[in-house]
Amino acid sequence: MRPPPGEPTDPSEPAATTVTLVTRVDCSLCERARAVLARVAADHPLVVDEVDLASREGGAVARRAGMLFPPGVLLDGEPFGYGRLSERKLRRELARRAAR
């Protein structure tokens, strides 16, 4: 039996964290957030889903999460932050989740 998406195939491996990135066209902070996520993904299992704030889905996600402006980041569906993404804060949170 195959594990659900995001679950590791090897029980000793941590499950991948699903990151939802809410972006906007021509957003320099969104470009920076993509770069941060790419660097962090080298050390932590991430599944990154990107959604445009201008889309119906993106607008709904932003409203539910209380995001005032892009980029917005959700971890496993829970609001993590918006605006300039802190790599240090993200790494701390992912390490905390992995330790559970």
Side-chain angles (χ1 to χ4, degrees):
M1 184 168 161
R2 296 176 57 134
E7 291 296 318
T9 54
D10 179 350
S12 66
E13 293 178 27
T17 300
T18 300
V19 178
T20 304
L21 180 62
V22 181
T23 62
R24 183 181 65 206
V25 175
D26 295 329
C27 168
S28 62
L29 289 177
C30 299
E31 291 299 322
R32 183 184 182 285
R34 286 182 192 104
V36 167
L37 290 171
R39 286 192 301 271
V40 171
D43 301 320
H44 297 276
L46 301 179
V47 175
V48 180
D49 295 323
E50 190 170 329
V51 62
D52 191 309
L53 180 61
S55 71
R56 175 176 273 167
E57 179 188 4
V61 168
R63 282 189 297 281
R64 278 193 310 269
M67 292 175 192
L68 301 177
F69 50 86
V73 176
L74 289 88
L75 301 179
D76 292 329
E78 299 173 15
F80 177 72
Y82 59 89
R84 186 179 176 96
L85 177 59
S86 167
E87 184 170 343
R88 185 180 318 173
K89 181 180 170 186
L90 178 60
R91 286 182 181 278
R92 272 196 313 255
E93 176 61 17
L94 293 171
R96 184 186 70 78
R97 288 170 179 239
R100 286 194 242 165

